[in-house]
Amino acid sequence: MSETDCRVPVEKLRWVCDPALFNFKTTEDIAGLEGNIRQDRALAAIEFGLGMSNNGFNIYLAGDPGTGRTSTIRQILKKFVKGTCPPSDWCYVNNFHTPDAPLAIALPAGMGRGFAADMRELLDYMRANVPTALESKEYETNRVSIIERFQERNGEIFSDLEQEAGEKGFALQRTVSGLVIVPQKEGRNFTQEEYEALEKEEREKLDTMGRELTEKLNDALRQVRENEKALRDALALLDRELGLSAVGHHLNPLKEKYQGFAKILQYLEDVQEDLLLNLEDFKPQVAPPQIPGLKIPKQEPTFERYEVNVLVENNPDNGAPIVFESNPTYNNLFGRIENIMQMGGVATTNFTLIKPGALHRANGGYLILDAREVLINPFAWESLKRCIRNMEIKIEDVLEQYRFMTVVSLKPEPIPLNAKIVMIGSLWIYYLLYYLEPDYRKFFKVKADFDSQINRTPEVMQDYALFVAAHCCKEGLLPFDPTGVAALLEHASRLVEDQERLSSQFMELSDLIRESSFWAKREGAQVVDRAWVKRAIHEKTYRSNRIEERIQEYLAQGIILCDTKGSVVGQINGLSVITMGDYTFGRPSRLTIRVSQGRAGMVNIEREVKLSGPIHDKGVLILTGYLAGKFGQDQPLSFSAHICFEQSYEGVEGDSASSAELYGLLSAFSGLPVKQGIAVTGSVNQHGQIQPIGGVNYKIEGFFAVCKAKGLTGEQGVIIPKINEHNLMLSDEVVQAVSEGMFHIWSVSRVEEGIEILTGVPAGNPGEDGSYPEGSVNFLVQKKLKTMLDNMRRLQMQDKDGKDEPAKMLE
């Protein structure tokens, strides 16, 4: 195969998008149309995950940032929730039996606010009407009547006791210690002397009678206490009847309104009972005694226990909620219980201070989270797993377990969890979780894999045009004409280095749309065409290529050695790619190979000084296998070859230079010079097949820049693997130089093709006897290796004879 046959035609150096594919004048014509750039594999996984209602089938969107993961899931969910039933509202109310454990109540969407309003109306009615009823004339009359009735009953008891005591010569008197029975004589109390002057029998009789009357007094006092209790009960019953008449006007309609909600009915019963037990709170409060110079506020009873905390409220006209939590801290995800600081530094809380988290708002719908953010926030991941496992959302004080002292707080009733959780993250995080987190496989069983590139089809190209139109319309950018969209698609193809694919790095494409509009608007253009897209690409390159220009200056000045003219034995230009953050460029690297007699075999100088990576070491060792298979079948190989990347002061990795190293070896063994105007890239296997590499466009453009700086001769170019032809998306400048015959691109599939281009001498195919045609590259290499072997054998014999001579002299 001749050198001309291996040249890549100009039309294969890049894919050019035909603007005629688009039937619009500008993207304004299609701005209202809908369309999305489909990734069928990912969309199928998302559709499956959304359709599975079983617990654990949550979704992980895996892919590189900027591939449309977030926008895609939002668009899909927006369509998916249309027509779905909205989830329930959730409220927290006071637990009158256990105040530290507020109750969670579910209501149909939109009813939570109404329930809270109903309870506020009930409380306002009680505060306005109960004090009036308590001060009414009817209530006061009934109260006085009850009190008088019990007072009369008590009076009758003491009157009967006084009458009986008087008949027996005793009297009922009130002392400091209470009521006592004392003996009487002539209308007055016995004195101590008169009592002691009585006969023993009379004293005993008097004592006995006094004890009997005292017992009757005690019975009377017990009866009075019972009457007082009965009085209190009667007054409480009066208040209860008053309260029932007041509360019933509002509670009974509420009970009818919420007839189908057993939990609310029970709550209303508890409210009614608590209201009746605390009617005193509704009476006007007496102002506390004031201290001169200090105003003490009036203490008013609190009625917060009757309020309703509407935790989550959903619109009945909307479907299931879609919540994207950009900052998934523990409190933002699972809610919190706030505190109020009072005078003296005392913190208090109640159920009205319970605040919802993203899980509460997304309950019954969909929650979208960033995987990295969830993992770096303390307690978030473990608590999220616990919620999914138990299918409930529990609001807890996460720091409670780390305190030395237990703090009294609320324990709200958990809310059942029924939400689909979507996590967005890189593939790296996905595999870390999959292999290192045992529970991950239980809870995120669906992976939607977003690719960074998409097959180019006419339908996809139209979708890209809609993507451009949507961006221009949404952000107020200048519209694109068909040539501008075509240039954008060509750049998308270059980003993935594939003529049959387009990049799905929509973040970069969006930035290019914005930058193209900026430069066009700055110069007063009304439409963005191909020229403005090229300008934006050029300006972005200029902002980032300072280091590349400096290296090109060193190459042009000869500070970094790189020949682009002439021919040299054992010297060849390899190509490498350097990535500096967001910018990638190619640069040539001189490889030199020196061979000599010896037994060291292949010596990789980079490996010897630990500047070589394992993949590069593998590529060098493959060369030994190639030489052994090619030239070591009939004779052993005995040589030393030293391979070096000249002026390389950093690590070397990758096997894309292995073909260049092999060409240099063949040149060194054969003595044939290599054309220095041709650079080489491509890896090689032990059979001499040229294998594909990456960064082919950057490598070609990097060497072209050096040749241009030193002067194009028309004989310069780059040899690439034939398999990499479809990866060519070269710049306009390189394509123009190739079309003018000032630069060339060759593609080869075997070492034999490449060495013929580099030396101008055929590689040579082996004959039936295994020998190569005289004058061919392989013939010269084989001859050199045989000469080295013969020399080594001769030297070995001389060494052996030299060692034997002293022995003969001793004889």
Side-chain angles (χ1 to χ4, degrees):
M1 182 176 291
S2 67
E3 175 264 350
T4 306
D5 295 334
C6 292
R7 288 185 182 177
V8 180
V10 176
E11 58 271 14
K12 287 188 177 183
L13 297 182
R14 66 177 290 116
W15 166 69
V16 179
C17 179
D18 185 4
L21 292 171
F22 307 108
N23 55 0
F24 55 83
K25 292 184 178 180
T26 69
T27 52
E28 283 183 338
D29 301 338
I30 58 174
L33 301 179
E34 291 187 4
N36 59 341
I37 302 172
R38 298 175 58 87
Q39 295 211 23
D40 294 333
R41 187 189 308 276
L43 294 180
I46 293 173
E47 182 180 356
F48 167 74
L50 295 179
M52 290 292 293
S53 59
N54 304 70
N55 186 36
F57 281 86
N58 297 300
I59 306 172
Y60 186 98
L61 305 186
D64 295 332
T67 53
R69 300 166 300 174
T70 303
S71 58
T72 299
I73 191 64
R74 280 180 166 170
Q75 291 177 6
I76 292 175
L77 289 177
K78 188 176 180 180
K79 296 178 181 179
F80 194 80
V81 300
K82 285 185 178 180
T84 59
C85 296
S88 302
D89 290 350
W90 282 96
C91 308
Y92 270 114
V93 296
N94 183 42
N95 186 342
F96 293 96
H97 303 287
T98 311
D100 291 341
L103 301 175
I105 294 179
L107 285 167
M111 287 186 64
R113 184 188 294 265
F115 179 50
D118 290 339
M119 293 304 298
R120 281 195 300 271
E121 184 179 350
L122 170 65
L123 183 59
D124 293 342
Y125 175 82
M126 293 292 294
R127 298 180 71 174
N129 290 276
V130 169
T132 303
L134 291 174
E135 295 174 357
S136 66
K137 184 176 180 181
E138 179 183 0
Y139 173 77
E140 188 62 29
T141 301
N142 292 335
R143 180 181 176 84
V144 170
S145 175
I146 293 173
I147 294 174
E148 288 178 351
R149 186 169 65 251
F150 278 93
Q151 287 178 346
E152 288 176 2
R153 189 177 302 171
N154 291 340
E156 291 175 359
I157 293 173
F158 287 115
S159 177
D160 292 342
L161 182 60
E162 284 180 350
Q163 182 179 355
E164 183 180 356
E167 292 175 354
K168 295 182 179 181
F170 286 83
L172 181 63
Q173 294 183 354
R174 186 177 299 276
T175 65
V176 176
S177 59
L179 295 174
V180 295
I181 298 293
V182 296
Q184 295 280 310
K185 181 181 181 182
E186 297 176 358
R188 59 178 178 80
N189 294 343
F190 264 87
T191 65
Q192 186 65 27
E193 293 79 5
E194 290 175 342
Y195 176 76
E196 292 178 354
L198 292 177
E199 295 291 336
K200 182 178 179 181
E201 293 180 1
E202 290 180 1
R203 284 202 308 270
E204 290 178 356
K205 182 179 179 181
L206 190 63
D207 291 342
T208 301
M209 192 173 296
R211 283 193 296 271
E212 291 176 358
L213 290 174
T214 300
E215 289 179 1
K216 289 183 178 181
L217 174 60
N218 293 333
D219 292 339
L221 292 173
R222 271 194 301 272
Q223 191 172 355
V224 168
R225 284 195 296 270
E226 291 175 0
N227 288 340
E228 290 176 352
K229 182 177 180 300
L231 173 61
R232 289 194 298 270
D233 293 342
L235 292 175
L237 180 60
L238 177 65
D239 290 348
R240 186 179 183 86
E241 290 174 354
L242 175 67
L244 280 173
S245 63
V247 176
H249 291 300
H250 266 66
L251 271 182
N252 290 334
L254 287 181
K255 291 178 181 178
E256 292 178 3
K257 181 178 180 179
Y258 299 102
Q259 187 64 42
F261 305 95
K263 202 166 186 178
I264 293 183
L265 293 178
Q266 181 60 50
Y267 170 70
L268 293 176
E269 291 290 343
D270 295 338
V271 169
Q272 174 178 296
E273 189 63 29
D274 191 78
L275 285 170
L276 296 176
L277 292 175
N278 296 279
L279 286 177
E280 292 291 330
D281 291 346
F282 295 94
K283 296 180 180 179
Q285 303 297 310
V286 179
Q290 297 296 318
I291 301 175
L294 180 63
K295 186 177 181 180
I296 301 177
K298 186 178 179 181
Q299 296 295 326
E300 294 287 347
T302 176
F303 299 101
E304 289 180 340
R305 61 185 181 276
Y306 304 117
E307 294 181 8
V308 175
N309 181 5
V310 182
L311 193 73
V312 178
E313 183 180 5
N314 292 294
N315 192 330
D317 298 328
N318 296 338
I322 303 170
V323 177
F324 180 81
E325 180 53 62
S326 59
N327 184 25
T329 62
Y330 179 87
N331 288 336
N332 288 350
L333 275 180
F334 309 104
R336 63 191 181 277
I337 302 174
E338 295 181 344
N339 295 276
I340 297 177
M341 297 301 295
Q342 296 183 341
M343 293 180 62
V346 178
T348 62
T349 187
N350 58 66
F351 73 94
T352 64
L353 298 177
I354 299 174
K355 303 301 179 182
L359 271 177
H360 294 96
R361 298 194 301 273
N363 201 14
Y366 306 90
L367 176 61
I368 306 173
L369 301 170
D370 184 276
R372 178 181 173 275
E373 295 293 331
V374 172
L375 294 175
I376 66 176
N377 276 291
F379 314 113
W381 172 245
E382 291 298 327
S383 300
L384 181 63
K385 290 193 301 178
R386 193 178 304 113
C387 286
I388 299 174
R389 181 188 301 111
N390 301 330
M391 298 182 66
E392 64 180 19
I393 312 170
K394 184 181 291 186
I395 302 177
E396 297 177 308
D397 182 1
V398 71
L399 298 177
E400 183 177 357
Q401 57 183 319
Y402 298 100
R403 294 194 184 103
F404 293 105
M405 190 178 295
T406 303
V407 178
V408 177
S409 184
L410 301 179
K411 297 292 183 183
E413 181 182 5
I415 293 177
L417 174 63
N418 179 27
K420 183 72 69 175
I421 299 173
V422 180
M423 282 213 306
I424 302 175
S426 64
L427 275 170
W428 182 70
I429 294 178
Y430 169 80
Y431 288 119
L432 280 178
L433 289 171
Y434 189 86
Y435 291 110
L436 301 180
E437 173 53 80
D439 292 331
Y440 173 79
R441 308 181 196 182
K442 301 178 184 177
F443 305 136
F444 288 86
K445 299 182 179 180
V446 181
K447 180 183 77 168
D449 198 349
F450 280 77
D451 199 351
S452 59
Q453 48 188 269
I454 303 173
N455 289 331
R456 175 171 58 80
T457 64
E459 295 78 13
V460 168
M461 294 170 68
Q462 297 298 329
D463 289 338
Y464 269 82
L466 293 174
F467 170 77
V468 176
H471 259 280
C472 294
C473 180
K474 181 180 178 181
E475 301 185 17
L477 307 176
L478 292 179
F480 280 55
D481 70 0
T483 64
V485 175
L488 184 80
L489 288 174
E490 292 172 10
H491 183 69
S493 186
R494 177 181 167 87
L495 287 176
V496 296
E497 293 191 296
D498 197 319
Q499 297 181 5
E500 300 298 326
R501 294 176 180 272
L502 297 173
S503 171
S504 60
Q505 292 283 352
F506 302 116
M507 182 170 62
E508 293 191 24
L509 296 178
S510 299
D511 290 341
L512 181 58
I513 294 171
R514 299 183 185 103
E515 293 175 23
S516 301
S517 175
F518 168 81
W519 292 111
K521 186 179 294 185
R522 184 178 180 180
E523 300 298 330
Q526 301 298 317
V527 177
V528 179
D529 58 15
R530 175 183 290 273
W532 295 117
V533 176
K534 295 292 185 181
R535 169 78 178 275
I537 296 172
H538 170 75
E539 292 289 344
K540 184 176 182 180
T541 300
Y542 178 72
R543 295 194 301 269
S544 304
N545 71 342
R546 179 183 64 85
I547 295 178
E548 179 190 18
E549 287 189 353
R550 186 61 54 81
I551 292 176
Q552 293 294 345
E553 290 175 4
Y554 290 161
L555 287 165
Q557 296 170 2
I559 297 174
I560 299 178
L561 300 179
C562 179
D563 294 337
T564 59
K565 299 175 184 177
S567 300
V568 180
V569 175
Q571 179 176 300
I572 190 169
N573 290 321
L575 297 172
S576 60
V577 173
I578 299 175
T579 299
M580 307 291 291
D582 62 340
Y583 186 69
T584 301
F585 61 93
R587 58 156 287 186
S589 299
R590 172 182 287 183
L591 285 93
T592 57
I593 298 93
R594 303 299 298 271
V595 297
S596 62
Q597 294 182 164
R599 299 179 180 275
M602 205 77 64
V603 178
N604 177 12
I605 294 178
E606 269 70 32
R607 183 178 64 179
E608 297 300 318
V609 297
K610 297 182 173 57
L611 283 178
S612 175
I615 298 177
H616 181 256
D617 291 341
K618 176 184 176 183
V620 174
L621 294 175
I622 286 174
L623 304 184
T624 304
Y626 172 82
L627 294 175
K630 194 82 171 177
F631 305 106
Q633 299 298 312
D634 299 328
Q635 61 183 19
L637 299 181
S638 178
F639 65 90
S640 292
H642 294 74
I643 302 175
C644 178
F645 278 81
E646 302 293 348
Q647 293 182 289
S648 172
Y649 309 107
E650 63 277 337
V652 177
E653 180 59 310
D655 62 350
S656 62
S658 58
S659 65
E661 292 167 340
L662 180 55
Y663 294 140
L665 275 171
L666 295 178
S667 169
F669 280 122
S670 65
L672 297 172
V674 172
K675 298 175 183 178
Q676 298 300 292
I678 300 177
V680 177
T681 184
S683 68
V684 67
N685 63 21
Q686 294 187 98
H687 294 285
Q689 296 173 318
I690 304 300
Q691 302 172 140
I693 44 83
V696 62
N697 296 295
Y698 301 112
K699 293 176 178 179
I700 293 173
E701 291 168 1
F703 187 67
F704 172 80
V706 176
C707 295
K708 180 183 175 183
K710 293 191 173 186
L712 294 173
T713 62
E715 297 179 355
Q716 298 149 330
V718 177
I719 298 176
I720 66 170
K722 191 171 186 59
I723 304 177
N724 281 119
E725 282 186 0
H726 71 95
N727 298 117
L728 293 175
M729 285 296 297
L730 295 171
S731 65
D732 294 339
E733 186 179 19
V734 176
V735 174
Q736 180 67 23
V738 173
S739 64
E740 293 174 355
M742 300 303 294
F743 197 75
H744 307 284
I745 309 296
W746 295 276
S747 64
V748 297
S749 57
R750 295 195 58 83
V751 171
E752 289 78 6
E753 300 170 5
I755 195 63
E756 183 174 346
I757 296 171
L758 289 167
T759 61
V761 178
N765 295 318
E768 294 182 358
D769 58 352
S771 62
Y772 294 97
E774 187 172 353
S776 66
V777 176
N778 289 333
F779 172 82
L780 297 174
V781 172
Q782 191 177 45
K783 180 180 178 182
K784 181 70 172 180
L785 289 172
K786 187 175 187 304
T787 302
M788 286 182 173
L789 179 63
D790 293 342
N791 290 337
M792 285 296 296
R793 286 174 174 172
R794 187 176 63 254
L795 291 172
Q796 286 178 349
M797 292 299 296
Q798 291 177 358
D799 290 344
K800 185 177 180 181
D801 294 342
K803 290 178 181 179
D804 290 343
E805 287 179 2
K808 293 179 180 179
M809 291 176 62
L810 291 174
E811 291 178 356

